[in-house]
Structures are given as structure tokens and as C-alpha cells.
Amino acid sequence: MHQSVLQFWFHEVTPANWWKVDAEFDRVIVERFSELHARAVCSELFEWRVEPRGRLAEIIVLDNFTRGQMSNLDRAMSSGLVKLVEGDIRDLQVLDKVMAGVDFVFHQAAIRITQCAAEPRLALEVMADGTYNVLEA
């Protein structure tokens, strides 16, 4: 079953579809995956965790919560399909552990532009070195 999700997101549509607002595309997703989503919300898809590709349908959040709050993840965490790892993108050991068996990454670690100006060394470590760490892991 997870193969149909992977086929859709990584072969049938392009990354351009992932980020734009498109009511027709949203309708296709709902029509095709609403039953599967309902099962996921009820924690009925744990068998997907048996193999690495099945885990792709599971979301792993790596966050050090310097800006974000746990409450932002409440709804996602309640599904049972989101794994939370409190850690930092600059920590190679944490990244190695989290990235084991992962084929695809949506890397969104960043810091505020005002913080970049105030702390350029931190900006380099998080934005550049952190990205390199993800690629290397």
C-alpha cells in the first residue's frame, strides 16, 4: 500500500506540485488517499514501519525547538505516524541515527534573517554546515 503513496509523490507528480496552491490537485489527493489517510489517523498503518520505503510514509521531525513549539505538532503527533527527534541539525551523531534508511528528505532547517545578521557564525553553522550534514548523512 505504501508503494502507491511513493509512486504518486515521486513519480506521478513533480516537486512543483508539492508547493503550489491548486484546488484540482488537492481534490485528486483527497479522492485518491482519503481512505488511506483515515486509516493513518487511526494508527492502522504501523506495518509500514517494517521496511525503509514504508517508513517514507512516516514523517520524522528533527527539531531543536529554538523557534518552534511542541504544540505546533500536536495534531500531527496524535496520528502516531510522526516520529519526533529533539536534536540539532549540527549534531552529526543525531543526523546519522535519524537519517539511517531514509531515501528522501524535506530539509527546512533555518534561522531568522535577523538572527543571521546578529550571529553570522551561527547562521553559517545552521544554514550551510547543517545542510552539508544532511547531505552527508
Side-chain angles (χ1 to χ4, degrees):
M1 181 74 65
H2 67 270
Q3 293 90 344
S4 65
V5 174
L6 300 178
Q7 177 67 30
F8 178 78
W9 287 108
F10 297 107
H11 299 286
E12 294 177 27
V13 300
T14 66
N17 296 108
W18 300 347
W19 309 116
K20 69 181 180 180
V21 176
D22 181 341
E24 177 60 22
F25 184 61
D26 291 347
R27 186 195 60 73
V28 169
I29 293 169
V30 169
E31 183 177 288
R32 190 157 171 187
F33 297 108
S34 61
E35 182 180 319
L36 190 59
H37 180 263
R39 289 185 57 211
V41 169
C42 294
S43 300
E44 295 177 1
L45 301 177
F46 283 104
E47 71 273 8
W48 287 18
R49 295 179 178 187
V50 172
E51 59 180 277
R53 291 213 174 260
R55 283 194 168 268
L56 182 57
E58 175 181 54
I59 299 169
I60 302 170
V61 174
L62 171 67
D63 202 324
N64 63 7
F65 293 103
T66 57
R67 281 189 58 199
Q69 300 175 2
M70 277 292 296
S71 60
N72 294 341
L73 298 172
D74 285 348
R75 183 171 176 214
M77 295 300 293
S78 69
S79 73
L81 295 175
V82 175
K83 177 181 177 183
L84 174 64
V85 177
E86 290 190 54
D88 195 291
I89 194 169
R90 297 169 292 170
D91 186 332
L92 293 173
Q93 290 179 340
V94 169
L95 275 176
D96 285 342
K97 183 178 178 182
V98 169
M99 301 282 286
V102 171
D103 291 326
F104 300 97
V105 174
F106 295 95
H107 164 34
Q108 297 184 13
I111 57 175
R112 292 176 192 236
I113 189 68
T114 53
Q115 191 173 12
C116 290
E119 300 178 73
R121 171 63 60 188
L122 176 66
L124 176 69
E125 291 171 359
V126 172
M127 310 281 274
D129 296 344
T131 298
Y132 185 80
N133 292 345
V134 169
L135 294 171
E136 195 171 48

